[in-house]
């Protein structure tokens, strides 16, 4: 059984100089690493579908850096493309034409897109999308779908979060997921005032079972947006390229006006992109929007190599097949041990919840921690991610680990069994 | 004389798929590349103090990627550190301890800092600084110094910019640079309501002569902030590590509460950092703030190598010496040709303006373009940047080019001479 003594010692060292030790979604502060001593804190090496932690433990990694790792860590083809570009240039006083090559590739590949603009964070693209919609419509309000996450800019946070003002969120409206009646009512009540609707392609929020769109949902949303002159923004930062290389809007049979990509664009090389339709090209051009490293050439070269390889592998089909094999195996292992495990969302980004004999967050967390201690890196309240370096053997080994973890759970929680 | 036919053809290709062709500060859309056909648009290779454009022209580069290039492009020590780290890991489901190493190094090096938090854009750190100040003070208003640039988030833009709402800037107050009376009055009028004052360490804005702080200015500002409970935020994204490795607040003899770094942190590897004082550590920890690539290990390794080498070289002293040699040479070359050239700001980030015989933006732009056509990459309305790969020979060659450009200016603008 794995122990994490060196990780925990390093974490205490980190806390001295970094607020929270490990801030954000990779750290324990967001409550994703519970029980806290059941998770490693630092990695030292990553290759393919695996990483190794500071204590020397090896993990089959189902989090993929929370998305960026889509081909496998340190993919040789992407690394070669990045290194070749790095020898020429990266951040210079002028961009490289590799930026154009990547834009042309994405515009060709993503069904709804006529143009591409690059940035660094997913949140850079959601903010640019909102500003573009406001510039194009001269309206202020934005519809969010409850359970949303579109980055950390103040406009996409909540009023009770520290540092957020009422002015930041004054123009935000909210509807439940999959609720066309609520959306119809909201748009009617705010007729002529709504600039945009922003949503992920399906509801892959944290701490809840993930929900796919109901039959006809997106087609109806598209129609409502058209009727009300509302810009339809799809935040494909998390799901992008795992469901469909032409965009998750294409996967669900509709066309976004603006679509935001980040994590899986370049297999971990640092780039994000806002893609959009011709009608919004002038509006997006009018926004003052730039950043220190936004035209760095290495991530563009890495992105081209990544997208090419994803096409060659037909990666979304691979993720669907391996993700289904894994979630089927996990739910069966649960069942054999007398538990009910609910897998939700797309298999490429599966979400897990232990539902029975107790629908308890703590029970679920303990099961996840038992898996982690045995070498399957899962997390408790966030969707997981597939990558193309995963093998059937990795899936089967993970199912074995899960079964052992359920057995351990019986011992740790005798009362619930 | 250089021509840029291939660059201009590529730019037309870029315009098809990228709004504006080259959006942001590296492109012509912000008016920095005037006359438009007098500038190359794309680089293909960069090494040391030079880059080469798509037409094969070689440039001595005084823009340094608008800041990131501080040691010289493709510095071998930084590249070796980055490659060694890349072989181990970069963006993984857990951070590397190299993040702690870099935080410890910066906290040790930067005089005012007790902790460090990392992100990707300079603007990520200015936004985090503002949110932290608001969380700590439970106040809303922020004082800006006129001529400011703190990134592109809506809160730091202006109301007449497309996509910006009155709510975004509703809590912004403005004072002129170097005007203590105005600041004193503003803080009194808004007593108990001001969360923060945000400023660059000196006024290095675009389209104006850059201005250093008046004697005692920063000490008085520090005192006023203390009296009013205002968090003093220094945006050192542009000037950071070029004046003083301990921070530009240290250079001017005061201590910021929060200090923002980006561009020169890691010689172009993609990382930014907010550093701050112990009293704000709890407040910054409370902010929801994270990003997809924020814990990537390669830029941390590159940052350690960069800062170590900057110390070994005593780079700020080198920049002061070479920047002074250059601006002295340029103003003398102007004078000999019957022009007056004004150099302002710190020599490490010198700003230029042709002031006589005509204080004309167009005349200045034409002179800059004549320099660019001869291989000295300068720009018209933005400060320049020194890097440590620059030699005295590069400086002297640039002065020769500038003299030739002034001679050409006489021919192009006979009326003004």
């Amino acid at each position: 059984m794995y122990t994490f003594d060196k990780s925990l010692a390093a974490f205490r060292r980190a806390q001295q100089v970094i607020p929270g030790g490990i801030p954000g979604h990779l750290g324990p502060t967001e409550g994703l690493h519970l029980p806290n001593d059941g998770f490693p804190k630092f990695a030292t090496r990553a290759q393919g579908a695996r990483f190794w932690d500071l204590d020397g433990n090896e993990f089959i990694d189902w989090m993929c850096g929370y998305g960026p790792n889509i081909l496998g860590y340190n993919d040789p083809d992407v690394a070669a493309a990045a290194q070749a570009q790095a020898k020429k240039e990266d951040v210079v006083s002028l961009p490289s034409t590799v930026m154009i090559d990547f834009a042309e590739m994405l515009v060709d590949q993503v069904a709804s897109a006529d143009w591409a603009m690059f940035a660094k964070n997913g949140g850079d693209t959601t903010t640019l999308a909102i500003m573009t919609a406001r510039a194009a419509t001269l309206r202020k309000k934005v519809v969010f779908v409850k359970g949303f996450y579109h980055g950390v800019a103040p406009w996409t946070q909540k009023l009770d979060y520290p540092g957020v003002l009422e002015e930041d969120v004054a123009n935000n409206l909210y509807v439940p997921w999959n609720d066309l009646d609520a959306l119809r009512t909201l748009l009617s009540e705010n007729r002529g005032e709504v600039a945009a609707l922003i949503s992920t392609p399906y509801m892959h929020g944290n701490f809840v079972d993930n929900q796919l769109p109901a039959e006809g949902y997106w087609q109806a949303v598209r129609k409502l947006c058209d009727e009300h002159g509302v810009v339809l923004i799809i935040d494909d930062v998390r799901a992008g390229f795992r469901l469909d290389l032409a965009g998750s809007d294409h996967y669900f049979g509709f066309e976004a006006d603006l679509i935001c990509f980040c994590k899986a664009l370049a297999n971990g090389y640092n780039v994000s992109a806002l893609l959009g339709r011709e009608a919004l090209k002038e509006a997006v051009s009018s926004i003052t929007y730039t950043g220190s490293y936004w035209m760095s050439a290495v991530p563009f070269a890495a992105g081209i190599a990544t997208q090419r390889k994803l096409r060659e592998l037909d990666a979304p089909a691979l993720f669907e097949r391996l993700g289904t094999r894994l979630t089927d195996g996990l739910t069966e292992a649960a069942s054999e041990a007398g538990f009910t495990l609910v897998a939700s969302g797309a298999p490429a980004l599966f979400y897990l919840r232990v539902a029975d004999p107790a629908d308890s967050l703590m029970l679920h967390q303990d099961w996840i921690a038992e898996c982690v201690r045995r070498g399957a890196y899962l997390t408790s309240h966030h969707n997981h991610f597939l990558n193309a370096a995963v093998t059937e053997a990795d899936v089967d080994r993970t199912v074995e680990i899960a079964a052992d973890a359920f057995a351990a759970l019986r011992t740790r929680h005798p009362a619930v069994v």
Side-chain angles (χ1 to χ4, degrees), chain A:
Chain A
M1 200 83 85
Y2 292 179
T3 55
F4 308 116
D5 296 344
K6 288 183 185 169
S7 258
L8 293 169
F11 183 68
R12 285 189 291 274
R13 195 184 131 213
Q15 286 176 306
Q16 301 303 309
V17 287
I18 302 173
I22 304 173
H25 61 294
L26 298 195
T29 45
E30 294 194 2
L32 302 175
H33 282 195
L34 290 171
N36 192 30
D37 63 358
F39 279 77
K41 305 294 181 221
F42 293 95
T44 57
R45 188 160 70 86
Q47 187 65 46
R50 283 173 167 66
F51 73 80
W52 289 261
D53 76 2
L54 201 57
D55 290 87
N57 304 308
E58 176 179 327
F59 295 90
I60 303 171
D61 179 28
W62 298 102
M63 291 312 296
C64 297
Y66 291 71
N69 177 32
I70 190 165
L71 283 173
Y73 289 119
N74 204 13
D75 178 85
D77 297 316
V78 179
Q83 282 163 27
Q85 181 59 50
K87 278 183 192 163
K88 294 186 225 161
E89 61 176 9
D90 188 19
V91 175
V92 189
S93 301
L94 294 171
S96 160
T97 53
V98 72
M99 176 176 74
I100 315 177
D101 300 336
F102 194 35
E104 287 175 343
M105 179 186 218
L106 290 175
V107 165
D108 178 60
Q109 176 181 317
V110 175
S112 60
D114 296 312
W115 50 260
M117 258 187 76
F118 298 107
K120 288 298 163 189
N121 299 313
D124 297 335
T125 69
T126 57
T127 294
L128 180 58
I130 294 293
M131 294 179 79
T132 298
R134 285 174 170 157
T137 61
L138 300 177
R139 301 171 179 178
K140 287 183 172 186
K141 295 183 181 176
V142 174
V143 178
F144 293 71
V145 178
K146 287 176 185 170
F148 66 90
Y149 178 81
H150 302 300
V152 295
W155 63 264
T156 187
Q157 295 209 26
K158 288 170 190 160
L159 188 51
D160 56 347
Y161 286 15
V164 177
L165 307 183
E166 56 196 331
E167 289 85 342
D168 293 327
V169 296
N171 294 292
N172 297 3
L173 305 171
Y174 308 97
V175 288
W177 172 250
N178 260 343
D179 191 337
L180 288 170
D181 286 341
L183 178 61
R184 201 173 288 118
T185 303
L186 192 74
L187 291 177
S188 294
E189 287 172 357
N190 295 275
R191 190 175 293 276
E193 295 179 53
V194 177
L197 182 151
I198 185 167
S199 175
T200 51
Y202 75 90
M203 184 39 61
H204 47 55
N206 300 344
F207 289 94
V208 288
D209 286 351
N210 290 187
Q211 295 179 66
L212 296 174
E215 181 72 29
Y217 171 74
W218 274 121
Q219 290 69 31
V221 171
R222 175 72 269 181
K223 192 153 171 279
L224 278 170
C225 286
D226 289 342
E227 285 168 13
H228 287 268
V230 170
V231 175
L232 177 51
I233 303 166
I234 290 301
D235 178 346
D236 218 6
V237 168
R238 207 184 279 188
F241 310 117
R242 280 192 165 83
L243 304 181
D244 188 330
L245 300 183
S248 299
D249 53 348
H250 183 258
Y251 182 77
F252 290 118
F254 71 105
E255 284 206 344
D257 295 314
L258 296 170
I259 183 162
C260 306
F261 292 108
C262 179
K263 297 173 178 289
L265 259 177
N267 208 43
Y269 286 84
N270 198 151
V271 62
S272 65
L274 180 70
L275 276 64
R277 300 172 85 163
E278 189 62 32
L280 292 167
K281 195 174 177 188
E282 191 180 327
V284 75
S285 300
S286 75
I287 310 295
T288 298
Y289 217 65
T290 192
S292 296
Y293 308 108
W294 288 15
M295 305 229 170
S296 59
V298 169
F300 296 141
I304 291 169
T306 300
Q307 296 299 322
R308 183 179 297 140
K309 193 159 179 178
L310 288 172
R311 289 186 206 181
E312 287 166 6
L313 295 171
D314 190 6
L318 180 72
F319 299 149
E320 173 82 18
R321 188 170 61 76
L322 290 173
T324 303
R325 183 185 179 98
L326 178 63
T327 52
D328 285 355
L330 293 175
T331 50
E332 195 179 316
S335 177
E336 283 172 5
F339 291 87
T340 302
L341 180 72
V342 176
S344 58
L349 299 105
F350 65 95
Y351 185 92
L352 300 176
R353 177 174 59 92
V354 174
D356 189 71
D359 190 358
S360 145
L361 219 51
M362 189 177 290
L363 184 67
H364 179 78
Q365 287 170 175
D366 280 351
W367 173 65
I368 292 287
E370 292 295 341
C371 292
V372 170
R373 286 193 191 98
R374 289 166 172 80
Y377 196 76
L378 298 159
T379 198
S380 299
H381 317 301
H382 191 290
N383 72 276
H384 302 81
F385 297 90
L386 269 281
N387 71 78
V390 163
T391 61
E392 292 191 353
D394 295 331
V395 170
D396 297 346
R397 175 66 193 133
T398 301
V399 172
E400 281 175 22
I401 287 172
D404 289 349
F406 278 121
L409 213 57
R410 282 184 185 276
T411 317
R412 288 172 60 96
H413 291 269
V416 301
V417 184

